[in-house]
Amino acid sequence: MVQRVTATDAALELIEKLKDKHGPIMFHQSGGCCDGSSPMCYPEGDLIIGNADILLGEIGGAKFYMHKSQFDYWKHTQLIIDVVEGRGGMFSLEGVEGKRFLTRSRAFTSEELAQLI
């Protein structure tokens, strides 16, 4: 089964660490400049999900949402959530860990796109 969002082993390790510290977590990628263009990690329920947000899937047991306007740009790609050294978004949970989540992507094949429709 094709997944719209996946995570690297490093990202999954950080997700587990954050869940141990904060309980259930969630992700949202809204788009735009600054922090909005990065996947943001919040305690589950701290960010109100609206009608324009799309659930893309789960990574490490954490739901991953994207605003519809961003999804329109990214719908032909698989999002691969990774982690790198450095400060994350101001309000994202991983910031104090000295790491930040990063979205990488790859284009779906024609066969994979057909499965998603």
Side-chain angles (χ1 to χ4, degrees):
M1 181 175 169
V2 180
Q3 296 177 341
R4 287 201 174 273
V5 61
T6 65
T8 64
D9 289 342
L12 292 172
E13 285 178 29
L14 183 55
I15 289 168
E16 285 305 312
K17 183 176 185 177
L18 294 173
K19 289 188 331 187
D20 287 346
K21 281 186 167 183
H22 303 282
I25 60 173
M26 61 180 282
F27 286 86
H28 189 273
Q29 185 161 335
S30 62
C33 70
C34 309
D35 290 348
S37 58
S38 298
M40 301 292 285
C41 181
Y42 303 100
E44 191 173 275
D46 270 17
L47 180 71
I48 297 173
I49 299 302
N51 292 337
D53 293 309
I54 298 170
L55 176 62
L56 298 184
E58 290 188 11
I59 53 174
K63 292 181 180 176
F64 193 101
Y65 295 89
M66 179 179 276
H67 191 273
K68 183 185 179 331
S69 63
Q70 274 300 98
F71 179 74
D72 290 340
Y73 291 112
W74 291 82
K75 64 186 172 189
H76 65 284
T77 63
Q78 182 179 57
L79 304 182
I80 304 156
I81 307 306
D82 200 359
V83 65
V84 295
E85 298 295 323
R87 294 284 305 182
M90 265 178 150
F91 302 108
S92 195
L93 290 176
E94 81 280 5
V96 297
E97 304 297 328
K99 299 177 186 283
R100 67 183 178 94
F101 288 109
L102 175 75
T103 301
R104 301 182 191 281
S105 66
R106 70 166 186 88
F108 285 121
T109 65
S110 299
E111 294 81 15
E112 289 171 327
L113 279 174
Q115 290 179 35
L116 293 170
I117 296 175

